[in-house]
């Protein structure tokens, strides 16, 4: 075994301080296998060492929360003895290096997190962020990531029902691939990872272990440089067929009483799964590596413990159930191996991970000192400087408002993402009520009339300009999108993508975003139940826009009462809920039409988020939907009012006539301002709805009527639905038809 | 009427098929594991969509050699009804129960969307709930739905009137826009689009339901 030099320690990503702590915990110099284990367990990816302090401040509780952060995924009670289990997780670095496999294994990993807990995955979402369309790698990355997500999810037979896709220069060298899975379980049959019961067998199931993905977790915890592509061998290879077998076999075994604890092997594979189970249960594990199913010959203990081969699970079984369990896994043609037993803690109450190979003990590590004493840093941070609000009157008007609308709905960020979601099977399992393209997807809870609403949201340019408001806005928009279907928002998962936390201004973004998310979660009763942190999203010192992606889940008791964003018939009143002030700072109009990049202080503050107002307006809209008074609903976000109207028209093929606003706000600010807490609803009876709004103290005004085959705004501005549609639909297919995409 | 759905290791539209059949039948539909050998007693055998054995090689090629397929062939030889949808269609072609083969989509991408189908045959147990020239909306969701057959086979399929459905706007490059075909006897239907996905107004339509209603009547 090679000698441990300071260089070897540094290559394992451990600082000098951390190395001293290793020596203290071990009471001796570790061998290579042990060093490798410390390295992955203490990587940022596994230990959350920079973020832990701030994540603890997020609100995680509500009466309907069954399990908050800390397990494989979060769990909420959705009534009738059922639970929804969900989480979002990033696979950014691997997807940049090898887009197909990186994205595919991201989807595979998050689905495993969910079915490890006893849930059948019922929906996938993904939030994708790529660099500039003009960047030489963008097409290649879009093509590979989309195909990888589809390749995995489609084979698994889990519908991919929603998500988002944005393009921005800051992601040129560091794309974001955030994958979310929502699963369904019986509330009384949920599985956790805490191992218990001395002497009980530790069982390995799934794929064999190979040399793929060694040090993936450490890679995901460093910045990128040009040399990073040499790290391609650290990207894992996905096998969705095997995962489908693993899913069915696990669910079959979970229907029995054989499983004590179960944990999937994700980042840092066998190491993190075994340490996590043992640490949570306060026990030790004696593990025989010779029994680990291996894909390659002569694998060392170091390689086996650090491999990130996919589609594997570790579980503790009730003694006597091994044969029954083995028969299930053999039916599904998967490996099943008893690789260890749970052991008593030592005299000091510390469990040990003892690894055997070829009849020898080759590693002996104290579990809790290693797993729980992973470093926690209070990294220095500076608040993001506040920006002045940009007055609407100071923002240049476009030459032509209709051309501006076309730019907003027909550019990279505002265009239809149909090209992406038509590559995902979004209907398999036959419960997708609201398909992709709306505010939130709606997936019926099989065999019931209930449905789960789900969405993924964040506006990174807002978070960059003001992390606190941006954090609030991401949560508020998620809440609004769920509300706009008629669902009651229940809980979120947060996927925090940031740059290098060792830079105080980046850490300041993280701290600010956490504060904003906390504010909004508290005000909206919308707790965080799971999440993931991805730091060091930088290439050559250039950080990404701070991107705390929020995955929201809501519940509607009777899906027949849900509404979509599309107009439903001619002659209905269109009512704008909420106040329009014409906020253009950090707006899509500023970026796409005026070509600003949002980075300059002159680009203004993002729209402020009044959480009490969000709640009041949203609760009003939800009641109107559920009572049947509102026949369609859409929340206002990027691009503002006119963009929302265009989307409602395109979702239905029904046009609208919008009246000239009676306001002194400049028309372009009225059309494209991004004031928050606003919705559009349609109704056959606007008088009553407006009366109820007045009573509730909600600002509401009729702004037009549905009907026809064009959108007309006052006497001067109009566009046909046909032109609107081709503008909206053509950009992405044309962009991706370029040969670079292949 | 007794119906069953064959389950390969990575079938994933098996439940959808079962639900659609049960909705029309009002009776339980069995799931039959691919290692079984016996299909006696069933009137209708459905081979569902999915990825059977992962389909890393030619789609359906491995599943076509599963133990159950001998029983499916025997069932078809005895005049029993066989419906193969999507991966099920691929499996039936690979097993030789239907002519032709499904190649990779012309655009080389997975395609999931509603398409319009023209009904070509309304005189079969599967399709007599429709009229010839009806245009129905049914979703496709596949990577390999590009129907191909050599010229002689294609002429025979067309000459014998074995085309059950054609795409109105061909999404995948299929020869003659073929979306679904029958065997010569008319008791085996394979189609790429998923009728079982549109049998419920809440999911966006019911154009697939007449097929299941017709099947139930055919063997009632």
């Amino acid at each position: 075994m090679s000698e441990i030099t300071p260089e070897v320690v540094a290559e394992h990503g451990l600082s000098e301080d951390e190395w001293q702590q290793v020596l203290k915990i071990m009471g001796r110099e570790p061998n290579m296998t042990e060093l490798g284990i410390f390295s992955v367990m203490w990587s940022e990816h596994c230990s959350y060492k920079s973020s832990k302090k701030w994540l603890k401040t997020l609100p995680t509780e509500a009466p309907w929360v069954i399990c908050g952060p800390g397990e494989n995924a979060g769990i909420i009670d959705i009534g009738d003895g059922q639970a929804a289990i969900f989480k979002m997780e990033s696979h950014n670095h691997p997807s940049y290096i090898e887009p197909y496999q990186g994205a595919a294994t991201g989807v595979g990993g998050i689905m495993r997190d969910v079915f490890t807990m006893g849930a059948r995955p019922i929906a996938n979402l993904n939030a994708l962020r790529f660099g500039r369309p003009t960047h030489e790698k963008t097409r290649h990355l879009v093509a590979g990531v989309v195909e990888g997500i589809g390749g995995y999810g489609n084979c698994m037979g889990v519908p991919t029902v929603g998500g988002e896709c944005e393009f921005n220069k800051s992601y040129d060298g560091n794309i974001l691939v955030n994958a979310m899975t929502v699963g369904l379980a019986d509330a009384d049959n949920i599985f956790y990872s805490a191992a218990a019961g001395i002497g009980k067998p530790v069982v390995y199931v799934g794929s064999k272990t190979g040399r793929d993905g060694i040090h993936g977790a450490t890679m995901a915890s460093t910045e990128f440089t040009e040399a990073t592509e040499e790290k391609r061998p650290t990207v894992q290879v996905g096998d969705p067929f095997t995962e489908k077998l693993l899913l069915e076999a696990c669910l079959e075994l979970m229907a029995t009483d054989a499983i004590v604890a179960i944990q999937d092997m994700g980042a840092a594979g066998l190491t993190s799964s075994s340490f996590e189970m043992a640490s949570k249960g306060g026990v030790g594990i004696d593990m025989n590596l010779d029994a680990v199913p291996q894909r390659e010959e002569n694998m060392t203990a170091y390689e086996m413990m650090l491999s990130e081969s996919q589609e594997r699970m570790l579980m503790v079984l009730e003694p006597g159930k091994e044969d029954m369990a083995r028969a299930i896994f053999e039916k599904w043609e998967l490996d099943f191996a008893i690789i260890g037993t749970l052991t008593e803690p030592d005299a000091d109450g510390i469990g040990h991970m003892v690894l055997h190979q070829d009849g020898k003990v080759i590693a002996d590590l104290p579990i809790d000192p290693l797993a729980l004493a992973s470093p926690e840093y209070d990294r220095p941070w500076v608040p993001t400087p506040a920006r002045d609000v940009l007055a609407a009157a100071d923002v240049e008007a476009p030459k032509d408002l209709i051309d501006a609308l076309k730019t907003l709905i027909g550019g990279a960020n505002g265009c239809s993402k149909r090209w992406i979601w038509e590559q995902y099977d979004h209907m398999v399992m036959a419960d997708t009520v609201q398909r992709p393209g709306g505010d939130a997807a709606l997936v019926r809870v099989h065999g019931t009339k209930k449905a789960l609403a789900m969405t993924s949201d964040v506006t990174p340019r807002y978070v960059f300009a003001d992390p606190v408001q941006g954090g609030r806005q991401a949560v508020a928009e998620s809440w609004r999108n769920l509300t706009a279907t008629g669902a009651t928002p229940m809980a979120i998962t947060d996927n925090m993508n940031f740059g290098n936390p060792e830079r105080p201004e980046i850490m300041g973004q993280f701290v600010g975003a956490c504060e904003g998310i906390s504010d909004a979660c508290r005000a909206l009763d919308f707790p965080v139940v799971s999440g993931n942190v991805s730091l060091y999203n930088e290439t050559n010192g250039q950080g990404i826009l701070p991107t705390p992606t929020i995955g929201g889940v809501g519940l509607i008791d009777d899906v027949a009462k849900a509404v979509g964003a599309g107009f439903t018939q001619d002659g209905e009143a269109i009512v704008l809920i909420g106040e329009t002030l014409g906020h253009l700072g950090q707006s899509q109009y500023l970026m796409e039409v005026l070509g600003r990049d949002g980075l300059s202080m002159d680009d203004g503050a993002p729209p402020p988020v009044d959480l009490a107002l969000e709640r009041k307006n949203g609760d009003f809209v939800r009641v109107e939907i559920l009572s049947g008074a509102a026949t369609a609903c859409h929340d206002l976000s990027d691009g503002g009012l006119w963009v929302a109207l265009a989307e409602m028209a395109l979702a239905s093929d029904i046009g609208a006539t919008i009246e000239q606003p009676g306001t002194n706000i400049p028309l372009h600010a009225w059309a494209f301002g991004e004031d928050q807490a606003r919705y559009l609803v349609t109704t056959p009876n606007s008088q009553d709805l407006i009366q109820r709004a007045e009573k509730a103290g909600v600002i509401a005004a009729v702004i037009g009527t549905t009907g026809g085959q064009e959108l007309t705004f006052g006497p001067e501005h109009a566009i046909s639905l046909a032109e609107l549609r081709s503008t909206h639909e053509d950009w992405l297919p044309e962009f991706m038809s370029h040969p670079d995409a292949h | 009427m007794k119906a069953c759905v064959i389950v390969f290791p990575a079938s994933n539209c098996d439940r959808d098929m079962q639900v659609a059949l049960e909705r029309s039948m009002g009776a339980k539909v069995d799931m039959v594991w691919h290692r079984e050998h016996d299909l006696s007693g069933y009137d209708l055998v459905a081979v569902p969509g999915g990825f059977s054995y992962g389909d890393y090689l030619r789609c359906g090629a491995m599943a076509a050699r599963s133990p159950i397929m001998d029983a499916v062939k025997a069932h078809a030889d005895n005049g029993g009804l066989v419906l193969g949808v999507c991966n099920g269609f691929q499996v039936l072609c690979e097993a030789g129960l239907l002519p032709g083969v499904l190649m990779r989509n012309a655009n080389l991408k997975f395609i999931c969307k509603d398409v319009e189908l023209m009904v070509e045959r309304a005189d079969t147990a599967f399709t007599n709930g429709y009229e010839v020239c009806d245009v129905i909306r049914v979703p496709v969701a596949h990577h390999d739905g590009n129907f191909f057959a050599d010229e002689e086979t294609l002429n025979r399929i067309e000459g014998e009137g074995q085309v059950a459905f054609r795409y109105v706007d061909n999404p995948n490059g299929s020869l003659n826009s073929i979306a679904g075909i029958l065997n010569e006897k008319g008791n085996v239907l394979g189609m790429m689009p998923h009728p079982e996905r549109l049998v419920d107004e809440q999911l966006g339509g019911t154009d697939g339901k007449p097929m299941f209603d017709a099947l139930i009547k055919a063997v009632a």
Side-chain angles (χ1 to χ4, degrees):
Chain A
M1 198 163 278
S2 18
E3 198 191 341
I4 296 188
T5 61
E7 290 73 35
V8 170
V9 172
E11 273 170 20
H12 280 78
L14 293 177
S15 68
E16 179 55 31
D17 285 352
E18 288 168 353
W19 172 241
Q20 290 308 321
Q21 209 183 337
V22 169
L23 294 175
K24 207 171 117 203
I25 288 169
M26 294 298 289
R28 61 176 164 85
E29 188 164 284
N31 61 37
M32 272 300 281
T33 303
E34 291 164 339
L35 175 65
I37 288 170
F38 270 98
S39 157
V40 292
M41 287 294 289
W42 286 5
S43 68
E44 186 68 60
H45 191 82
C46 293
S47 74
Y48 295 92
K49 59 192 169 193
S50 302
S51 56
K52 243 188 298 196
K53 174 182 160 74
W54 301 101
L55 295 177
K56 286 181 199 158
T57 64
L58 299 171
T60 59
E61 286 172 6
W64 52 90
V65 173
I66 296 175
C67 173
E71 280 289 338
N72 285 296
I75 310 177
I76 56 171
D77 184 345
I78 57 166
D80 311 313
Q82 293 178 304
I85 301 188
F86 63 96
K87 186 181 177 183
M88 187 187 288
E89 198 163 81
S90 63
H91 230 213
N92 304 334
H93 291 78
S95 301
Y96 183 77
I97 298 174
E98 213 302 298
Y100 184 98
Q101 292 297 345
T105 53
V107 173
I110 193 64
M111 278 197 275
R112 265 193 320 281
D113 276 337
V114 165
F115 74 76
T116 300
M117 302 199 77
R120 177 174 285 283
I122 61 166
N124 288 325
L125 293 91
N126 54 80
L128 310 179
R129 291 191 159 79
F130 298 102
R132 282 166 298 176
T134 49
H135 189 268
E136 56 181 5
K137 283 196 118 178
T138 298
R139 281 189 183 86
H140 161 73
L141 291 168
V142 173
V145 165
V146 170
E147 208 171 334
I149 290 171
Y152 212 102
N154 296 347
C155 180
M156 286 292 287
V158 177
T160 302
V161 296
E164 44 181 343
C165 172
E166 263 195 318
F167 297 86
N168 182 285
K169 183 176 187 291
S170 78
Y171 308 108
D172 275 357
N174 208 123
I175 63 172
L176 301 185
V177 175
N178 295 173
M180 172 170 167
T181 295
V182 182
L184 181 69
D186 289 335
D188 62 358
N189 200 33
I190 289 166
F191 292 82
Y192 296 96
S193 55
I198 306 308
K200 288 185 180 172
V202 177
V203 175
Y204 170 119
V205 296
S207 278
K208 293 186 191 329
T209 295
R211 289 192 169 95
D212 46 336
I214 290 173
H215 271 310
T218 336
M219 175 189 75
S221 307
T222 51
E223 289 179 41
F224 271 8
T225 63
E226 268 99 15
T228 304
E229 298 201 16
E230 290 168 17
K231 294 198 176 176
R232 193 168 283 133
T234 58
V235 177
Q236 315 86 327
V237 176
D239 175 2
F241 173 58
T242 299
E243 177 128 318
K244 168 73 172 161
L245 306 182
L246 189 60
L247 163 68
E248 298 301 338
C250 285
L251 291 182
E252 199 171 321
L253 183 59
M254 284 164 167
T256 73
D257 54 1
I259 299 176
V260 178
I262 178 164
Q263 170 75 37
D264 81 297
M265 295 193 219
L270 195 48
T271 294
S272 68
S273 55
S274 58
F275 274 83
E276 198 153 333
M277 292 176 88
S279 172
K280 282 196 174 136
V283 296
I285 296 180
D286 241 18
M287 202 188 297
N288 173 19
L289 293 181
D290 297 328
V292 171
Q294 294 159 48
R295 198 190 301 150
E296 296 171 59
E297 287 180 2
N298 303 319
M299 287 187 67
T300 64
Y302 180 96
E303 289 168 331
M304 270 189 259
M305 292 307 288
L306 267 52
S307 163
E308 291 192 1
S309 290
Q310 299 290 290
E311 295 93 24
R312 301 178 301 161
M313 293 272 191
L314 199 62
M315 48 199 188
V316 175
L317 292 185
E318 290 294 352
K321 305 282 184 182
E322 297 93 329
D323 289 346
M324 181 267 293
R326 184 189 298 276
I328 290 175
F329 282 85
E330 283 176 354
K331 170 189 161 190
W332 290 98
E333 300 175 39
L334 292 166
D335 274 299
F336 177 101
I338 297 168
I339 63 166
T341 43
L342 300 187
T343 55
E344 295 269 13
D346 66 16
D348 298 325
I350 293 168
H352 281 252
M353 184 69 62
V354 181
L355 306 179
H356 303 260
Q357 195 178 27
D358 301 328
K360 289 192 293 264
V361 170
I362 40 125
D364 182 342
L365 297 142
I367 290 166
D368 275 356
L370 190 162
L372 302 183
S374 64
E376 173 177 332
Y377 295 134
D378 183 3
R379 296 206 185 271
W381 60 278
V382 291
T384 302
R387 288 154 189 256
D388 293 334
V389 172
L390 195 56
D394 295 340
V395 178
E396 193 185 327
K399 284 196 190 69
D400 183 291
L401 282 159
I402 293 293
D403 283 348
L405 173 63
K406 284 169 67 179
T407 302
L408 286 169
I409 61 153
N413 288 323
C415 72
S416 162
K417 300 301 185 297
R418 181 184 302 276
W419 184 90
I420 294 174
W421 50 258
E422 281 189 348
Q423 294 185 57
Y424 304 147
D425 191 337
H426 47 267
M427 301 180 228
V428 63
M429 297 184 90
D431 280 307
T432 307
V433 175
Q434 172 64 55
R435 298 180 188 180
D439 285 295
L442 281 171
V443 176
R444 205 167 44 189
V445 175
H446 192 68
T448 74
K449 57 180 192 168
K450 290 185 295 193
L452 294 175
M454 40 196 104
T455 175
S456 123
D457 301 280
V458 61
T459 312
R461 60 182 192 277
Y462 291 177
V463 188
F464 177 82
D466 183 336
V468 178
Q469 292 297 337
R472 289 176 166 204
Q473 195 273 342
V475 176
E477 188 177 344
S478 169
W479 191 84
R480 276 202 303 270
N481 277 326
L482 300 173
T483 295
T485 66
T488 301
M490 303 281 282
I492 63 169
T493 176
D494 58 350
N495 196 155
M496 311 288 280
N497 309 273
F498 288 77
N500 180 348
E502 294 163 40
R503 292 188 6 215
E505 65 277 20
I506 300 287
M507 203 57 215
Q509 293 172 344
F510 188 86
V511 172
C514 284
E515 184 189 329
I517 290 169
S518 288
D519 291 348
C521 290
R522 285 202 179 86
L524 301 171
D525 277 331
F526 199 31
V528 180
V529 295
S530 59
N532 167 246
V533 179
S534 171
L535 301 174
Y536 297 96
N537 288 290
E538 302 208 356
T539 298
N540 297 331
Q542 184 63 49
I544 58 162
L545 290 182
T547 311
T549 312
I550 302 297
V553 173
L555 175 68
I556 184 163
D557 290 330
D558 181 359
V559 71
K561 293 182 176 167
V563 298
F567 296 138
T568 55
Q569 54 181 315
D570 287 1
E572 290 197 327
I574 302 168
V575 181
L576 174 60
I577 308 285
E579 191 174 17
T580 301
L581 297 168
H583 187 105
L584 285 172
Q586 296 297 331
S587 65
Q588 200 71 298
Y589 173 81
L590 208 62
M591 310 295 143
E592 306 283 327
V593 178
L594 301 185
R596 310 263 274 266
D597 62 9
L599 304 181
S600 152
M601 293 300 276
D602 298 341
D603 296 332
V609 181
D610 179 337
L611 293 163
L613 191 64
E614 288 285 355
R615 177 127 205 182
K616 186 168 67 173
N617 292 358
D619 288 348
F620 173 76
V621 164
R622 193 176 315 106
V623 169
E624 294 299 315
I625 293 170
L626 296 179
S627 73
T631 52
C633 182
H634 190 25
D635 99 300
L636 271 66
S637 55
D638 277 348
L641 178 63
W642 282 24
V643 166
L645 285 163
E647 288 166 349
M648 293 181 86
L650 289 176
S652 62
D653 220 22
I654 296 173
T657 305
I658 306 303
E659 293 148 25
Q660 187 90 311
T663 160
N664 50 8
I665 299 167
L667 191 54
H668 65 292
W670 191 77
F672 305 123
E674 295 180 3
D675 309 290
Q676 300 292 296
R678 294 187 301 161
Y679 302 79
L680 283 167
V681 299
T682 55
T683 178
N685 185 345
S686 60
Q687 237 176 355
D688 289 1
L689 190 145
I690 299 279
Q691 255 177 21
R692 287 191 294 273
E694 274 171 13
K695 220 168 144 192
V698 169
I699 294 176
V702 175
I703 61 162
T705 312
T706 61
Q709 279 296 302
E710 48 178 34
L711 264 185
T712 64
F713 303 94
E716 286 170 16
H717 306 285
I719 182 169
S720 73
L721 290 193
E723 186 179 358
L724 208 53
R725 188 174 301 285
S726 61
T727 307
H728 190 50
E729 294 289 349
D730 289 351
W731 189 88
L732 194 51
E734 273 171 20
F735 174 67
M736 292 307 295
S737 67
H738 190 277
D740 279 2
H742 306 298
Chain B
M1 167 74 174
K2 243 185 121 194
C4 70
V5 178
I6 307 292
V7 183
F8 296 105
S11 293
N12 63 30
C13 303
D14 43 343
R15 189 186 77 183
D16 305 357
M17 182 66 84
Q18 183 188 34
V19 168
L21 283 165
E22 288 181 349
R23 184 181 273 260
S24 287
M25 277 170 68
K28 182 148 173 20
V29 170
D30 296 334
M31 305 300 256
V32 176
W33 185 238
H34 69 114
R35 288 188 185 280
E36 304 278 326
H37 295 273
D38 185 12
L39 289 169
S40 51
Y42 290 109
D43 303 298
L44 168 68
V45 173
V47 189
F51 285 70
S52 52
Y53 269 91
D55 288 345
Y56 294 122
L57 304 171
R58 227 166 51 231
C59 297
M62 286 175 76
R65 282 139 190 92
S66 250
I68 193 67
M69 288 312 293
D70 287 335
V72 175
K73 279 179 208 160
H75 173 79
D77 288 345
N78 291 332
L81 295 172
V82 179
L83 169 64
V85 169
C86 199
N87 191 223
F89 183 16
Q90 294 162 344
V91 171
L92 295 180
C93 288
E94 291 291 337
L97 278 144
L98 289 171
V101 65
L102 283 312
M103 304 195 307
R104 193 131 285 201
N105 293 343
N107 73 350
L108 305 179
K109 297 199 183 308
F110 192 95
I111 303 170
C112 179
K113 64 176 181 183
D114 287 354
V115 299
E116 287 186 331
L117 301 181
M118 173 81 81
V119 177
E120 297 270 320
R121 288 280 301 272
D123 58 342
T124 74
F126 303 94
T127 58
N128 64 30
Y130 303 111
E131 303 283 338
V132 171
C133 290
D134 271 358
V135 171
I136 60 172
R137 186 168 55 91
V138 184
V140 292
H142 59 247
H143 207 305
D144 298 77
N146 182 353
F147 182 81
F148 179 83
D150 61 50
E151 203 179 329
E152 189 192 325
T153 309
L154 190 66
N155 288 339
R156 198 176 67 240
I157 293 168
E158 291 286 1
E160 299 288 323
Q162 286 173 246
V163 177
F165 300 103
R166 264 185 241 277
Y167 299 110
V168 172
D169 186 6
N170 191 345
N172 54 26
S174 292
L175 284 181
N176 295 5
S177 295
I178 288 172
I181 54 169
L182 297 150
N183 65 348
E184 283 178 22
K185 282 196 293 183
N187 64 325
V188 178
L189 171 69
M191 61 192 295
M192 287 312 296
H194 288 270
E196 81 280 12
R197 290 190 183 185
L198 275 190
V199 295
D200 181 349
E201 206 51 75
Q202 223 159 47
L203 301 182
T206 55
D207 282 4
K209 193 160 184 295
M211 176 176 296
F212 298 100
D213 291 345
L215 280 168
I216 305 319
K217 263 196 296 190
V219 289

